[in-house]
Amino acid sequence: MINHDEAAVRPLTLAWVSRHLEVGERILKTEALHGGITAEMRRLTIGTRDGGTRDLVLRSFVDPFYVRGAEDGLNGEAGALSLLTGTGVPAPGLVAVDPTAAHCEYPSLLMTHLTGRTVLDDEGLETRVPLLARQLVAIHALRPAERPRKYVTLTTADTVVVPKGADAEAWAAAIDVIRKPAPSYEGRFLHRDFQPGNVLFDVPPSTPTGARITGVVDWAGTCWGPADLDVAHCSTNLALLHGPAWGLRFAEAYEEAGGVLAAAASERLYWQVRDGLACSEEVQLVSQPWREAGRTELTTRAVEERLDAYVTALMDALG
C-alpha cells in the first residue's frame, strides 16, 4: 500500500512513474519537498527487488500560470540533465519526461534523487560562498556540442517595482542603467537560477567548515549567455538572504575561483543591476519559500529593505 502525503501524486502520474521503474520495483511512499516556486516537487521512495529502497524526484507543473511554460521548461531541463551526465557537475539523472501531460495529469519530469540539503542559514556562509563560486565556474566551463537557447530577460525599465521608502535617487539611476542596450559578451552555458535554494550541501554537524556541495538542481532555465548574468542572480539572492555585503562579495569569490566577468565595471554593473531590479517584481514570491524553510524573519518587507540596500550599494560602488 502506498503511503501518500497531502496533495499526493495523482493516479495517472503514479502509473506513468511505475512504467519507468525497473522490473520488480514499486512505489512505497510519496513525500512533499518544499521550497519550489513554479512546480510541485515530490520525493518517491521506491522499493527495489532486493528488499532495499532508492529515491526518485518528481516535478509536476500544476499551477495554470506555470503550466503554460511547462513544455519548454521541462524539455530544457531534460536536455540539460542528459548533457550534464558524466561532466562532473553534480546534477540529477534524467529518468523520464512528459512535457505535454500526454500520460500524466500535469506536465512532469522524473529524475534521480541527490543527497544533501539546501542551507539558507547565515552560519557557515563564509565557507559556502567560495564553494558556490567554484561550482558556478565549473558550470560555466561546460561546452555542449549543441548550445541551449539564448537567455531572455523579462524585466524592463517600466516594469520595475520600486520598494516603499526606497532611495528614489539610487533606484532612478539603476533603472536608467537597464534602459541602455545590453553589453556585448562571450557566451557561456548558464544555469540561470543558480542560488542557494538550488544547491544541495552536506554539512557535518561537528565541522560546518567541512561543508561540500552534493548537487545542483532545477535546470529548467538552462540557456546560453553572459557569465555575469548567473553571477548577478546568485549575488542578488545572497544579498537578500544574508545582507548586501554578501551580494557584493560573490562576484569577487567567482573571480577568485577562476571565473571571468565583463572587463568594464559599467558592464558588470549592468547585469548586477538588471538582476536586482528583476527581483523587485518577485519579492513576495521569492521570500515565501525562505520563510517556509525556517527564515521566518525574512518577511516581504524585510526582503524589500535588503533589496533597496543592495541596489543602493551597487550604485554607490559605481560612483
Side-chain angles (χ1 to χ4, degrees):
M1 182 176 179
I2 299 173
N3 176 21
H4 295 301
D5 64 334
E6 75 282 356
V9 181
R10 293 148 186 91
L12 291 176
T13 304
L14 281 174
W16 174 76
V17 169
S18 295
R19 290 197 295 273
H20 291 282
L21 300 180
E22 296 178 10
V23 176
E25 291 189 329
R26 60 195 179 95
I27 303 168
L28 298 178
K29 183 173 70 170
T30 71
E31 176 189 354
L33 297 175
H34 298 290
I37 295 175
T38 60
E40 240 181 35
M41 302 291 291
R42 292 285 183 275
R43 178 164 62 191
L44 312 181
T45 301
I46 310 300
T48 59
R49 284 179 296 178
D50 61 4
T53 62
R54 67 185 181 107
D55 290 335
L56 297 176
V57 173
L58 175 71
R59 180 198 299 277
S60 295
F61 286 81
V62 300
D63 187 317
F65 180 82
Y66 294 111
V67 165
R68 290 177 293 177
E71 182 175 359
D72 283 347
L74 289 178
N75 280 330
E77 181 159 29
L81 296 185
S82 297
L83 180 152
L84 290 162
T85 302
T87 62
V89 172
L94 176 67
V95 176
V97 63
D98 181 15
T100 60
H103 307 285
C104 305
E105 284 84 354
Y106 299 100
S108 299
L109 183 143
L110 185 66
M111 58 192 138
T112 59
H113 175 266
L114 299 175
T115 61
R117 60 184 177 87
T118 56
V119 183
L120 305 181
D121 301 330
D122 290 336
E123 184 183 3
L125 187 60
E126 61 282 351
T127 298
R128 298 194 305 275
V129 164
L131 296 177
L132 289 168
R134 287 200 290 273
Q135 185 61 73
L136 191 54
V137 169
I139 291 169
H140 291 166
L142 298 175
R143 295 293 180 268
E146 183 178 340
R147 288 184 183 179
R149 61 195 170 183
K150 182 184 175 183
Y151 79 93
V152 294
T153 55
L154 302 179
T155 300
T156 70
D158 298 322
T159 59
V160 173
V161 180
V162 179
K164 181 181 178 181
D167 185 323
E169 185 177 344
W171 278 75
I175 290 170
D176 281 342
V177 167
I178 68 166
R179 291 187 195 277
K180 301 168 187 171
S184 58
Y185 63 89
E186 184 177 352
R188 290 284 185 267
F189 180 83
L190 305 184
H191 181 283
R192 199 59 181 94
D193 191 17
F194 186 86
Q195 42 93 1
N198 283 331
V199 178
L200 305 177
F201 284 90
D202 173 31
V203 184
S206 56
T207 54
T209 55
R212 64 184 182 89
I213 290 176
T214 58
V216 181
V217 299
D218 197 355
W219 295 86
T222 300
C223 57
W224 191 259
D228 285 82
L229 192 54
D230 261 359
V231 172
H233 188 63
C234 191
S235 296
T236 300
N237 278 268
L238 288 169
L240 302 188
L241 274 167
H242 307 293
W246 286 105
L248 299 174
R249 168 76 183 110
F250 187 68
E252 297 174 1
Y254 179 81
E255 288 189 298
E256 289 166 1
V260 178
L261 296 173
S266 60
E267 294 177 349
R268 298 182 190 201
L269 180 73
Y270 176 89
W271 300 110
Q272 289 174 309
V273 166
R274 173 167 278 291
D275 194 86
L277 297 187
C279 191
S280 75
E281 302 174 32
E282 302 180 320
V283 169
Q284 188 168 358
L285 199 62
V286 167
S287 58
Q288 183 177 341
W290 295 343
R291 291 193 295 276
E292 291 174 354
R295 296 294 304 274
T296 53
E297 79 281 11
L298 293 179
T299 62
T300 299
R301 182 63 191 142
V303 174
E304 284 178 339
E305 290 172 350
R306 282 191 170 178
L307 180 60
D308 176 37
Y310 178 57
V311 170
T312 301
L314 288 174
M315 300 312 297
D316 286 346
L318 181 68

